Structures are given as C-alpha cells and as structure tokens.
Amino acid sequence: MEYWLSSEIKWVLMVILLSSVLGLYKVWMMMMMKRNRKVEKNGDFVVPRGCGGWPLIGETLEFIASAYTSKPVTFMDKRKSLYGDVFRTHILGKAIIVSTDPDVNKMILQNHGNAFIPSYPKSITELLGKSSILQINGPLHKRMHALIGVFLKSPQFKARITREIENVVRLSLWTWTDKNCQVYVQDETKKITFEILVRVLLSIGPGEEMELLKKEFEEFIKGLICLPINLPGTRLYKSLKAKKRLLKIVDKIVEDRKMAMEKMEEKTSPNDAIDVLLRDSGESDEMQHRLPLDFISGNIIEMMIPGEETVPTAMTLAVKFLVDNPVALAHLVVISETLRLANIINGVWRKALKDVKIKGYLIPKGWSVLASFSSVHMDETNYENPYAFDPWRWKKIGNAPSSNIFTPFGGGQRLCPGLELSRLEISIFLHHFVTTYRIIGKSEICRIG
C-alpha cells in the first residue's frame, strides 16, 4: 500500500512539474511574441526574424554542440538559411541578434555615433568583471588599447621577444621526439604560447610559479562559454573560484613590482605589460590618475586568454594542414589561410544604445548583437570551397582581401592589439617546425639531422 501511494505521489509530482514547464514555455512564447510585435513596427525597418528556443536556455545547447563538429558554423548556417543573413536567437542566457552579413558587421565594428557598447554573455561578464578590457568603453578603453598596442609594436620589444620566442620554440620542439609515443600538438603549442605570454605580461619564466599560474588559468578559462549558473559544483562556480586564486597570485606580483619601481631612481624601458600599466598616469603625472592595482591584475589575467586558446588553435591547424598538403608544406604559404580557418567561433558582442537601422534591419535599443566573423569566413559567396585548405586562394583574390570578409583579429576600435605578436609566434613556430622535423605520412615526424 505504501509503495503504491509513493508511486502515485511521484506520478502526480511529475505531472505537476511537466505542466509547470509547459506553462512556463507558453508564457515565454507569449512574452517573446508580444515583444517582437512591439518593436517590429518601425517604418521600413524590421527586427530580424528568428527563434527564442526554450525558456532560460534558449538555443544554447545546439550552439555549443555545433562548435564541436567538423563545421562549427552549422548553427549560424541553419538559421541563416531560414531567416536570412541577420537573425534573432537566444544563447548563453542572452537574447541577441546575429549578423553574418559582412557589411552589417563592418558598421557594427566602426560604431559610428557610438551606437553600440560591449555586451557579452553572462558567463563571460561574470568571469571577467566590469573592469575587463572587453567591457570597458570610451577613453579608458582607448587608453588601455593604446598602451598595450604601442608596447607590443615597439622595436625594442619585438627584437627581444623574437629571440625569446625562438628559444622557447626550439626547446619545446627538441623534446617532441623524446616523448616515446604520441605528441598532442595542441597541448604542446599551448605550453609554448602560454610561456611566451606570461613572459610578455609578467616576466615569469619556466618554474613552479608558471605551472601554478597555468593550472589555475586552465580551470578559470573553462567557464568562459557555459550556462550562467553560479551554484556549487557548476562550471561557472569552479571557474570563479579559480579566478580568485589567480588574482591572489597576480596581485602579489603587481604589488611587488610597484614597490620595486618606487625604489628605482631612474626610469628604464618597460619590460612587460605590468611595467607599462603601472607607469601610465594618463595625461598627467599625478598619482590619482594611475590605473588601480586590482584593475591591472584583472586585465593581465584576461590578456592570457590568447595564449591558451586562439594562437595554439591556429598553430595546431597549421600543422594539420601541412601534414595533409605536402605541396603547401613545400611552399609554406599558410598564415592567412590558417587564420581564416582557425577563426571558427570568433565575433564581437555589442548592445545597442539606441534604435539602430542597418540595411533594412532594426536593432532595437537595449538589444544585444553578435557580429559573426566566422560565418563570413566560411561563406562560399566570399570564399570558394571555404572548408578546403587552399593557401593559394589569396593569389586569386589578391594579398589584401576586403576587410569586410577577412577579420581574424576583429577591427575598428576593437582591433586586437596583440595581432603582430600572434603572427610572429605562429611564423616562428612554423619555421622551426618544418626545419626541425620531416613529416612522414599522416601522423609521423622524424627529427632532421
């Protein structure tokens, strides 16, 4: 009797739960339809068509799943075929408008009239914080961008970092054949780029401190793209805890450096990004205009991200393409093509500060918009047979393709300040890879000499 009652109660609870979910979904759909009807009427401009997906999660699961397929932009392509080049969706806790139109993307990047401000998924904003260089806008963003950009482009820095990159790459490649079984290229390139980047940012070399930084950073970065649920055991919760531990390490380095600089009688050239940010005082030399130490620490951590994801991915894909294409290997003309293919989930997130009208589309005030560069790079109207590795395509279209359709480093005010460093790392790595090893078949290499 007790078992029957407990089973009956379970079924009742399940029915109540299912009814609640369906009711919530119905309310969600009614709210979305009401919102859409309200904003779609604005002269000849219309809000892009699309689908909001399920309550709360929207279309997030399909968006994330597509990134792990052989064609990561299938999520965008499917909706593009249904709704057009600009469409509406709901991903990563945010209702957004997605643009796969290169002209619309260019207008968003140029941001004439300051119509847009940065607006990223909740998981990113939670992890990086309000002072992140991704989220700040206006004079402070320009100041940070200029400081780092000028430092990374300086002849003194480039001469020094070129030697350091070559040393790191040589030492790493030399150990590959010491690994008696398989070499996981992406793991190895992550080690290379992370070591280079922490030298550039914090002047830390190999050792216990770097290993601790890498361990905590790897845990932190796992939460950048996840469901924005901050509860014990969730991915976001674990990553936020790792961020606190990271900040503790970097805070100490920044504070120690500040104390050392105060004791120095003469100014020397900046050695790393911490030096650059600590010395800057804006347009005056007054202490109150200097960047806060916690602001510097947070942004130093953020600037580590390319060393863990984007540059290692480009290096790994370059090796794969060279293995698959002996003719390209012989000519080694792969950088631009690798960057185009490596840039598979790239884009910029913005929020409209006012109603913005672009090419017949209306982006209502307060709505977020994602300019998807990856979809443009993989569009066959822009590149013939886009998923094929064809470095000679650049000879067909010229060495300087339209900035609208080739944006591996973003553009406008948000052009990546580290683009030259990234190219330098990839170029040096590929040079030493092909001069250190001979590729045998599809999966074997042997050391030359």
Side-chain angles (χ1 to χ4, degrees):
M1 182 69 175
E2 289 181 1
Y3 174 77
W4 180 84
L5 285 174
S6 62
S7 298
E8 184 179 64
I9 290 171
K10 287 179 182 178
W11 277 107
V12 171
L13 290 174
M14 286 178 65
V15 170
I16 292 173
L17 180 62
L18 182 60
S19 300
S20 300
V21 171
L22 291 173
L24 180 62
Y25 183 67
K26 186 175 181 179
V27 171
W28 167 269
M29 291 301 294
M30 289 174 66
M31 289 173 63
M32 291 297 292
M33 290 172 67
K34 184 178 179 181
R35 183 188 188 192
N36 294 343
R37 283 196 299 268
K38 182 179 178 181
V39 297
E40 278 176 358
K41 299 175 182 178
N42 194 321
D44 296 329
F45 293 82
V46 296
V47 174
R49 297 179 300 136
C51 177
W54 291 92
L56 301 179
I57 63 171
E59 299 184 296
T60 300
L61 299 181
E62 189 177 348
F63 172 73
I64 293 175
S66 70
Y68 291 91
T69 66
S70 59
K71 294 186 176 182
V73 296
T74 50
F75 177 88
M76 306 295 186
D77 288 346
K78 179 180 177 182
R79 282 146 189 82
K80 181 178 175 180
S81 65
L82 290 171
Y83 308 118
D85 290 345
V86 183
F87 58 86
R88 187 174 64 240
T89 184
H90 189 287
I91 54 175
L92 302 171
K94 188 183 286 287
I96 65 167
I97 291 171
V98 177
S99 167
T100 64
D101 183 309
D103 294 327
V104 173
N105 290 355
K106 182 179 180 180
M107 294 178 191
I108 294 169
L109 283 171
Q110 290 176 336
N111 195 17
H112 290 310
N114 295 318
F116 298 99
I117 58 172
S119 176
Y120 287 88
K122 191 175 180 182
S123 60
I124 294 177
T125 58
E126 286 264 345
L127 274 176
L128 299 184
K130 293 180 180 179
S131 297
S132 159
I133 194 172
L134 280 180
Q135 297 200 76
I136 58 176
N137 205 40
L140 181 56
H141 172 264
K142 290 180 181 178
R143 177 180 170 188
M144 282 285 292
H145 197 281
L147 284 170
I148 299 301
V150 169
F151 169 64
L152 294 179
K153 291 176 183 176
S154 68
Q156 299 93 330
F157 168 78
K158 290 175 79 172
R160 174 173 62 84
I161 201 62
T162 297
R163 293 192 297 271
E164 293 185 5
I165 293 172
E166 288 198 310
N167 290 336
V168 172
V169 169
R170 280 198 194 103
L171 286 172
S172 178
L173 287 174
W174 198 250
T175 66
W176 284 20
T177 51
D178 296 335
K179 304 176 190 300
N180 295 321
C181 48
Q182 294 174 317
V183 173
Y184 293 95
V185 176
Q186 187 156 13
D187 291 344
E188 297 299 321
T189 54
K190 281 185 178 183
K191 292 176 186 175
I192 292 171
T193 55
F194 190 81
E195 180 175 341
I196 292 166
L197 208 49
V198 294
R199 285 173 184 260
V200 171
L201 299 174
L202 305 116
S203 295
I204 293 177
E208 187 177 333
E209 192 172 25
M210 179 183 285
E211 290 304 314
L212 180 59
L213 267 175
K214 184 167 176 56
K215 177 187 173 185
E216 298 295 359
F217 185 78
E218 286 173 346
E219 185 69 13
F220 155 71
I221 202 173
K222 289 176 184 176
L224 281 180
I225 302 296
C226 70
L227 290 174
I229 302 171
N230 185 17
L231 293 173
T234 63
R235 177 66 270 160
L236 183 57
Y237 181 87
K238 294 176 182 177
S239 291
L240 284 169
K241 290 292 184 184
K243 171 77 177 291
K244 286 184 179 179
R245 296 191 294 269
L246 262 178
L247 278 171
K248 188 175 180 180
I249 298 169
V250 178
D251 280 345
K252 186 177 186 309
I253 296 170
V254 173
E255 288 169 6
D256 290 348
R257 187 74 61 83
K258 180 176 181 290
M259 291 176 63
M261 288 175 64
E262 289 172 350
K263 294 177 182 177
M264 292 176 62
E265 294 182 1
E266 294 183 9
K267 280 189 176 182
T268 58
S269 298
N271 198 50
D272 56 27
I274 289 181
D275 283 355
V276 172
L277 299 180
L278 281 174
R279 293 178 185 188
D280 179 68
S281 57
E283 295 180 356
S284 73
D285 290 328
E286 297 180 22
M287 289 298 294
Q288 62 262 34
H289 290 101
R290 296 193 183 277
L291 297 169
L293 298 189
D294 59 343
F295 176 88
I296 293 174
S297 298
N299 280 280
I300 288 292
I301 291 172
E302 182 182 327
M303 285 186 270
M304 293 181 191
I305 294 174
E308 181 68 13
E309 292 297 329
T310 50
V311 178
T313 299
M315 288 178 172
T316 305
L317 287 175
V319 172
K320 180 209 180 301
F321 297 141
L322 288 170
V323 170
D324 292 343
N325 195 321
V327 179
L329 174 60
H331 288 80
L332 198 60
V333 283
V334 299
I335 300 296
S336 292
E337 182 68 355
T338 301
L339 288 170
R340 182 186 69 85
L341 288 168
N343 192 23
I344 53 179
I345 55 171
N346 196 16
V348 297
W349 299 70
R350 296 289 180 268
K351 183 170 75 173
L353 292 175
K354 56 188 177 184
D355 285 355
V356 182
K357 297 174 181 179
I358 305 175
K359 287 187 70 175
Y361 296 108
L362 169 67
I363 301 174
K365 178 181 177 180
W367 280 46
S368 294
V369 58
L370 167 61
S372 175
F373 304 144
S374 51
S375 296
V376 175
H377 291 167
M378 297 303 171
D379 190 333
E380 59 185 14
T381 61
N382 298 323
Y383 296 101
E384 182 182 351
N385 199 6
Y387 283 94
F389 177 65
D390 179 14
W392 290 276
R393 74 171 74 246
W394 305 102
K395 289 187 177 181
K396 302 171 189 173
I397 65 176
N399 290 327
S402 166
S403 60
N404 291 16
I405 63 170
F406 186 62
T407 50
F409 295 103
Q413 298 173 359
R414 299 281 164 169
L415 182 68
C416 175
L419 67 92
E420 290 192 24
L421 176 62
S422 300
R423 284 177 173 150
L424 189 62
E425 287 182 84
I426 297 169
S427 300
I428 292 173
F429 168 76
L430 289 178
H431 166 74
H432 286 287
F433 174 72
V434 299
T435 56
T436 303
Y437 290 104
R438 183 186 303 114
I439 297 173
I440 305 172
K442 292 286 185 180
S443 59
E444 291 184 41
I445 58 174
C446 69
R447 190 182 290 163
I448 298 172

